[in-house]
Amino acid sequence: MTRVWLITGASRGLGRAFTEAALQAGDRVIGAARNVEPLADLVQQYPDDLVRIPLDVTDRAAVFAAAEQAVAAFGRLDIVVNNAGAMLLGMVEEASEEQIRAHFDVNLFGAVWVTQAVLPYLRAQGGGRILQVTTMGTGGGFPMVGMYAAGKSALDSVSEAVAMEAEQFGVKLTIVQMGGYDTGLFTKGTTMTTPDPHYQELRDKLIEMWGEDAGPAPETAAPAIMELVGLADPPRRLIVGSESFDVVQQDLQDRMAQYRAWEHLSRTVSG
């Protein structure tokens, strides 16, 4: 059966990779992005299967209008991929109020607006899939990417609630915790804070640690997503990336060890 996808942030990076994979599988796609011109070549290749919708996910009214337009395009929605995102790179103290609010508008509220907009349609048709693209780093903060992790962590929590609320309607939600891929997030999708010299030593260490490797190409993640959407009983959470899985596993073990080390203090009170 031909499936209908709605993918936000479809013009580049992971969104573009997922769009291509879905079209190659014979599915239809509504690709939404602030700038949909980069999808022109795919429209020429798949003129009957790809519809582009210019969309700023921070505009709630525009999101709801886009959801209506998406359903009208092919008559239904089967898979919704909340992929649109941005990066705020810098120390927490350096970030301005405007930068932080703008960042959460995209990474958290934008995804919430899309989720709210599509749920009535998925509920009415008796089911569907929602993939919330977050990050393997939502287990805790890290220097210079603290605000990014915070927004994605909040989306993780909201998505857990949505999954439990919507499963009664046949809607299945998976939190897709992506590893590091060469998506352009650290270039085109990045807002930089104004560096505070007090943090320069730490900043230098982080830049040296990260190196120049941008990670694997985004299309290498697509096979896992295509297999995921084909599962009758998909997981609530999925880490995408072998090295990322190892990092998260180690982080969870370290975190549990810290809890155990202070278990005696935790148990000094009831509750």
Side-chain angles (χ1 to χ4, degrees):
M1 183 183 103
T2 299
R3 299 168 298 190
V4 178
W5 299 57
L6 169 61
I7 302 175
T8 66
S11 289
R12 62 178 175 84
L14 292 168
R16 167 81 184 212
F18 300 160
T19 298
E20 291 182 354
L23 292 169
Q24 291 167 4
D27 291 341
R28 290 176 165 179
V29 178
I30 297 98
R34 291 192 183 200
N35 177 17
V36 294
E37 286 306 310
L39 294 172
D41 60 321
L42 290 181
V43 171
Q44 290 182 344
Q45 191 174 354
Y46 302 96
D48 299 324
D49 298 323
L50 176 60
V51 171
R52 297 178 294 173
I53 298 179
L55 177 64
D56 178 354
V57 296
T58 67
D59 184 337
R60 190 172 186 270
V63 168
F64 276 72
E68 182 178 2
Q69 185 180 349
V71 173
F74 296 121
R76 62 182 291 112
L77 288 177
D78 298 298
I79 303 163
V80 177
V81 184
N82 256 320
N83 169 72
M87 170 66 73
L88 176 55
L89 190 61
M91 308 301 173
V92 172
E93 184 183 350
E94 297 169 347
S96 69
E97 178 181 355
E98 181 181 9
Q99 288 175 328
I100 293 171
R101 291 186 182 277
H103 181 71
F104 274 77
D105 276 344
V106 175
N107 284 10
L108 174 60
F109 296 119
V112 171
W113 304 154
V114 172
T115 301
Q116 289 181 328
V118 301
L119 274 172
Y121 299 105
L122 301 184
R123 182 173 62 248
Q125 68 190 24
R129 301 288 178 88
I130 299 176
L131 306 187
Q132 305 284 52
V133 178
T134 66
T135 173
M136 47 82 74
T138 57
F142 197 79
M144 285 190 71
V145 292
M147 298 314 304
Y148 178 75
K152 291 296 190 180
S153 295
L155 181 57
D156 270 16
S157 296
V158 169
S159 299
E160 286 276 8
V162 173
M164 290 183 277
E165 293 166 357
E167 61 184 350
Q168 62 184 309
F169 309 120
V171 178
K172 298 179 180 181
L173 183 150
T174 298
I175 299 165
V176 184
Q177 297 175 301
M178 303 300 304
Y181 289 86
D182 186 7
T183 64
L185 183 65
F186 282 89
T187 52
K188 295 180 181 178
T190 295
T191 297
M192 300 287 295
T193 61
T194 300
D196 183 327
H198 291 93
Y199 292 101
Q200 192 58 48
E201 183 177 351
L202 175 57
R203 193 184 306 272
D204 291 341
K205 288 180 180 178
L206 292 169
I207 292 173
E208 181 180 0
M209 179 185 71
W210 286 333
E212 297 182 359
D213 184 8
E219 54 265 27
T220 61
I225 300 304
M226 297 307 295
E227 183 173 347
L228 171 66
V229 298
L231 297 175
D233 187 22
R236 184 71 55 82
R237 291 174 177 265
L238 179 72
I239 298 168
V240 179
S242 179
E243 293 180 7
S244 298
F245 186 95
D246 292 338
V247 170
V248 172
Q249 182 173 244
Q250 185 61 56
D251 181 69
L252 290 172
Q253 291 173 352
D254 293 344
R255 194 178 299 269
M256 201 62 224
Q258 293 181 43
Y259 281 131
R260 291 196 186 99
W262 293 96
E263 182 179 358
H264 63 283
L265 182 57
S266 300
R267 295 190 183 279
T268 58
V269 293
S270 59

